[in-house]
Amino acid sequence: MAQCVQSVQELIPDSFVPCVAALCSDEAERLTRLNHLSFAELLKPFSRLTSEVHMRDPNNQLHIIKNLKIAVSNIVTQPPHPGAIRKLLSDVVSCSQPAEGLVANVITAGDYDLNISATTPWFESYRETFLQSMPASDHEFLNHYLACMLVASSGEADPVEQFSKLSQEQHRIQHNSDYTYPKWFIPNTLKYYVLLHDVSAGDEQRAESIYEEMKQKYGTQGCYLLKINSRTSNRASDEQIPDPWSQYLQKNSIQNQESYEDGPCTVTSNKNSDSNLLSLDGLDNEVKVDGLPNNFRAHPLHLDPSGDPSNSIDGSDRVKSASSLHDTKKANTGIIHGACLTLTDHDRIRQFIQEFTFRGLLPHIEKTIRQLNDQLISRKGLSRSLFSATKKWFSGSKVPEKSINELKNTSGLLYPPEAPELQIRKMADLCFLVQHYDLAYSCYHTAKKDFLNDQAMLYAAGALEMAAVSAFLQPGAPRPYPAHYMDTAIQTYRDICKNMVLAERCVLLSAEILKSQSKYSEAAALLIRLTSEQNTWKGMDSDLRSALLLEQAAHCFINMKSPMVRKYAFHMILAGHRFSKAGQKKHALRCYCQAMQVYKGKGWSLAEDHINFTIGRQSYTLRQLDNAVSAFRHILINESKQSAAQQGAFLREYLYVYKNVSQLSPDGPLPQLPLPYINSSATRVFFGHDRRPADGEKQAATHVSLDQEYDYESSQQWRELEEQVVALVNKGVIPSNFHPTQYCLNSYSDNSRFPLAVVEEPITVEVAFRNPLKVPLLLTDLSLLWKFHPKDFVGKNSEEVKELVTSEPEMIGTEVISEFLINSEESKVARLKLVPHHMGELHVLGVVYNLGTVQGSVTVDGIGALPGCHTGKHSLSMSVRGRQDLEIQGPRLNNTKEEKTSIKYGPDRRLDPIITEEMPLLEVFFIHFPTGLLCGEIRKAYVEFVNVSKCPLTGLKVVCKHPEFFTFGGNTAILTPLSPSASENCSAYKTVVTDSTSVCTALTSSASSTDFGIGTGSHPEVIPVPLPDTVLLPGASVQLPMWLRGPDEEGVHEINFLFYYEGVKKQPKVRHRILRHTAVICTSRSLSVRATVRRSNSLEDEEGRGGNMLVFVDVENINTSEAGVKEFHIVQVSSSSKHWRLQKSVNLSENKDAKLGSREKGKFCFKAIRCKEKEVATQSSEKYTFADIIFGNEQIISSASPCADFFYRSLSSELRKAQAPPSVHTEKQSVEDAVRLIQKCSEVDLNVVVLWKAYVVEDSKQLILEGQHHVILHTVGKEAFSYPQKQEPPEMELLKFFRPENTTVSSRPSVEQLSNIIKTSLRYPESFNHPFHQKSLCLVPVTLLLSNCSKADVDVIVDLRHKTTSPESLEIHGSFTWLGQTQYKLQLKGEEIHSLQLKACFVHTGVYNLGTFRVFAKLSDQVTVFETSQQNSMPALIIINNV
């Protein structure tokens, strides 16, 4: 139980005190009323004695009484009405609330820190009022009157006569059978005569003389002169007289019933009506406490006039009484009681009580105890049989004995007042009232046995109850507290006597005693036992009692040595429920709130929901609307495990309460709504117009949209592309203030800067909603909430929070979504637009909407569809308007040491755009843009550029990572074909019809790479778009042709185009704009081209120059017929080089039509010669010579667009791949130069372009596709491919452990490179006839040609001695001899050809190989000598014939 102000040792004596009646004359009552007090109320604050009192017990032992208190009350001849008692108790509890600002007790139990009110003053007030308001009963005498004060005024005509009348009145009330109430302790009641004298108005001498007369008549012990003031004295204004009455008079004493004077308390005794009421104790049916008429069952304040008239009061009177009570309370609060009384008067009253107690009451009690004790002793002296006979004689009216079962169904025996058992009980009660607990216990114990023997269960229970209390209060605690006495008494009261009031008193007393002994568990069990309802005792008083007892039980659980927190919380919930049923809404709310501390955040979501729901309802009933909204909000925002129907009920209840709150302050700020959830960090902001849908063959650029998922790699690629073009525009340097353009801001983008938006271009905010409930939510009139700071705007207000589209449409246009339905447990995004019409700073604050539910058939609490209904696609049951803010937390900072050691977040400014002035806006459309191509296929499409803004744009460029994929054509109109219809089969190439005789002979032309947008610059990916006049005016559109070439690798390719453009008028904030497009192309396999270049053995061509080459080209059809390709035709092979060109085809086959079916391979061989020296000299370094070898009747001009475009683009991409960082060597520069010269010998700069046509059958139509493949030949003898080779992973090898050595690159050229420096050729007759019979030696002249392939001076040694002398080789080659010098030393200049005249001597006919000599060479400035390789040259065979 909670802590109490009084200890149990103080509480019990204060609850059972001697009762004294007061009977006043009208004049005396009038006199006290001048101080707004009755006589009994006048004495109440002074009724406790300030000193110890002594009396003698029957054994003449001195007994000390401490803190004795007496209870003086006016005589009321009717028992208190049960309804009045109930009403009073209910009012006492409801008036006593926790003090505002009271510091709660913090109890720490395990994981819980609970704020609990340490005291429960409402329970103490209830208990005190309950014990005081108990009507007198015949089975006990504790609250029977022991004495009666007869009060008359000294101002009356004959006060002594008045005393006689009052005495007679008292006698009549006590002894007349018409009056059964009040109860008197003994027939010979003490009468004490009090003369009340008004000092301020009365005659002092007359009062004294009357008092003397009284003393003569009644004795000095039986009368008193009490002097008081009844007129306000002229005391100082600052002198404050205490008002000790206020604390007593606020508790409307039921005995006085002043507040009920014109209401229910004027009930007259009516035996017929009384029979309808249950009696308090089963003794007499005039005392009514707990039998409730129907009209009191609903609520203490609910007065139903339709009750039975025989046991209820007239309805109008009852309403009047309730309202009069309320008025009286209000009136009493402003009245000062005892205003005329001085401190002297207070002392006089205190002295009067002292005198009355010392001289009147206590001697009377002492005398009565002695008399009763004498009767008891005399009774003990009689024999048992005689005593039994006496008892039978005394108790002649006693009912005959019954069986125990029958007795248990009744209240037991009814003793007459003079029964000897009752005399024992009287003595026990008297001893108890004067704190003589030893004697009281023995008397109660004796009486208990007698009552149990007689099966007088009500009497026995009363004796047991008081015996237990006496045993506990005995000084020195000679015996333990007999709790089983109390248990038996409670059970008897409740089950046999059906008297809950007495049972409740037992429980209250016993629980306090157990609590004082720290037996909290037993006390809790006792308190809970009385709260289990039985049908007989259901009602409002039962609910109030149960609520208070359950709350005390909860406090018992929390105050245990090991606090039982969950039991505390559970019983607080039960108490709150019963408080609610009893109409005590504030207490119910308090209990639920205290229990919530335990259940909150522990995962008991259903319990939390129930508590929050109840708190919400109780708060709403008490008009604590903010608390109600908060509680309902908690139900909705937690992850609820309730059923859909229950969640719907919660939501409707919330909306109903919320609507009431918003109606209280309709002009106030919009409240925050809890639903639906908004994932603020997932908010995305998009600047710009939505993408246009595809229109037939016209497809808009993909650009950026909210439908695209964020991809980090992709965003990095776009950033790199933009940086490339910005660097090019700014002369190779990226400006320091450059930031990549961001059209879509999300949680992954860099939001640390204020984004820039353009006037008249929409801003779309995508808000991510989630509905956590199992019922759908309907948002209506959904729009963005924003704040705008205009720049240079003259208006009525520079800063306002705009809510609706009607607020300031000329500043910011706001889109409103009329209906937005989110289904149960669904996540859904809403895209809301703003269109800024003025420059300035915009801040998007959140969203504003009406929250409602879709109308169903369910109504809650009869609410149904309330105002706020809505006509639309969905019918709305109820809606409330509110807002939710978009608060986005920026990224955590982690750069400095301070940021790493603390938790700091950077700004996120995606919702705070700065609106800038108008900018040009480009739209790009692609016409006839393919989605599938063959590898190398050329296709022509068109691109349309449209300026949709009001500003001209210029500087249009496109940047792409794959410039080899597309071209806009050459820089000059001559190079670019006019339109596809210019040639047969709609060829994308520029073609010329040729004469068939010129087949297999090359047709040459030349072109510069600068003509095709490929210069020597460092940004080959940036391609300017050839706009006419370089400016696109507002509203203008331009169509340009665009050739595409399928990538060489098969598969799906994503190719990113970034279009860059600027405004003609330069702006400081937005210097350029971009437009993105991602083309997805699927390529399938077509041809595979391999090529090798080798040196020709003939050192001279037709023009007498050396250095011919043979080019071998293998073409294979690797198409798998997926694209419906029937066959490929090789229509032309072209070369492009600065130094070489194809001269003619040397294929032996006469089949000029080169067709390749599926998986077929074709081989071509071409002769390549150096370009003419003068051509090379006149050409610039970027000029390429193109040579075309045609296999059909139509020449494709390879030096024109698009053939040359794609060649140059593939060449530049190949060069980009081949570029390697220069290696740094520590060796001598001369060595490196030598190496470089040697390496150049084997280098060749020849590029082959294979042009083809493919015949495709598609939808029973034959289409002709065309394309080209490029092979770039770098090195003699090394095979080159048209497509990138896949690197196969190396096979697993054993680990090799070695010591790392100096890793400098060796300066020695490879053997292969060295062997190519000097090229040799023998000139001799193939067949030689010689008459051996005439001349035995045959001499043949042979010319040895030595060619220096390098540009450096080379020292050459020719050794004519045979390489080998083994007999096998002699047999193979035959034996011959060189005549003359066997070794020659020469020096050849760069690219010089030298001839040596040699003679070979033969002695036999036969076939001989002349290639037996060896050639050694070294660079003139080098030391190293090496041998040239003759292995690859053809054997020089000569036939010697005999003639």
Side-chain angles (χ1 to χ4, degrees), residues 76-84 254-270 273-274 288 296 312-314 316-318 320-321 324:
V76 179
T77 56
Q78 295 297 331
H81 194 277
I254 198 71
Q255 281 86 354
N256 297 337
Q257 297 195 17
E258 280 85 14
S259 58
Y260 277 78
E261 278 173 356
D262 50 5
C265 299
T266 55
V267 177
T268 55
S269 175
N270 182 335
S273 67
D274 291 343
K288 300 159 282 287
F296 281 107
S312 66
I313 308 128
D314 180 71
S316 60
D317 280 348
R318 197 172 315 108
K320 180 182 167 190
S321 71
S324 67

Side-chain angles (χ1 to χ4, degrees), residues 398-413:
K398 190 165 70 172
V399 295
E401 291 192 8
K402 301 178 181 179
S403 69
I404 289 177
N405 289 334
E406 286 179 301
L407 284 170
K408 286 189 177 177
N409 293 328
T410 69
S411 295
L413 292 170

Side-chain angles (χ1 to χ4, degrees), residues 1126-1179:
K1126 209 162 127 193
E1127 59 185 6
F1128 286 91
H1129 286 222
I1130 309 301
V1131 294
Q1132 181 172 313
V1133 176
S1134 300
S1135 70
S1136 172
S1137 172
K1138 293 179 185 176
H1139 308 291
W1140 296 87
R1141 64 182 178 86
L1142 294 182
Q1143 188 190 32
K1144 61 182 179 179
S1145 171
V1146 293
N1147 270 25
L1148 299 177
S1149 169
E1150 291 299 317
N1151 180 14
K1152 295 171 188 172
D1153 193 6
K1155 291 183 185 175
L1156 292 176
S1158 180
R1159 311 305 294 181
E1160 286 186 348
K1161 185 184 285 188
K1163 285 184 176 290
F1164 300 89
C1165 180
F1166 305 98
K1167 182 178 180 184
I1169 59 171
R1170 282 188 188 275
C1171 297
K1172 293 176 183 174
E1173 202 62 55
K1174 58 185 178 184
E1175 287 178 5
V1176 176
T1178 56
Q1179 286 174 2

Side-chain angles (χ1 to χ4, degrees), residues 1324-1345:
Y1324 56 91
E1326 291 183 8
S1327 177
F1328 193 84
N1329 297 327
H1330 179 71
F1332 282 97
H1333 61 274
Q1334 295 176 4
K1335 198 173 182 181
S1336 58
L1337 294 176
C1338 172
L1339 300 179
V1340 180
V1342 178
T1343 303
L1344 172 63
L1345 287 174

Side-chain angles (χ1 to χ4, degrees), residues 196-258:
L196 203 58
H197 175 61
D198 184 358
V199 176
S200 57
D203 184 352
E204 186 89 21
Q205 287 183 350
R206 181 170 183 265
E208 290 290 348
S209 66
I210 294 168
Y211 180 51
E212 286 299 326
E213 188 181 344
M214 287 167 62
K215 283 199 278 191
Q216 295 292 328
K217 187 173 182 180
Y218 305 118
T220 55
Q221 308 289 329
C223 58
Y224 194 83
L225 172 62
L226 178 59
K227 298 177 182 180
I228 60 168
N229 270 302
S230 61
R231 189 178 301 163
T232 309
S233 62
N234 296 324
R235 67 168 75 99
S237 59
D238 58 344
E239 185 183 346
Q240 290 292 325
I241 298 293
D243 179 8
W245 291 273
S246 57
Q247 57 177 321
Y248 294 99
L249 297 182
Q250 281 173 0
K251 305 167 185 173
N252 295 294
S253 174
I254 198 71
Q255 281 86 354
N256 297 337
Q257 297 195 17
E258 280 85 14

Side-chain angles (χ1 to χ4, degrees), residues 1299-1320:
R1299 182 179 301 149
E1301 296 176 7
N1302 192 358
T1303 55
T1304 54
V1305 179
S1306 169
S1307 62
R1308 272 186 77 79
S1310 66
V1311 174
E1312 188 179 355
Q1313 289 170 341
L1314 292 172
S1315 66
N1316 286 329
I1317 291 183
I1318 301 296
K1319 189 173 178 186
T1320 59

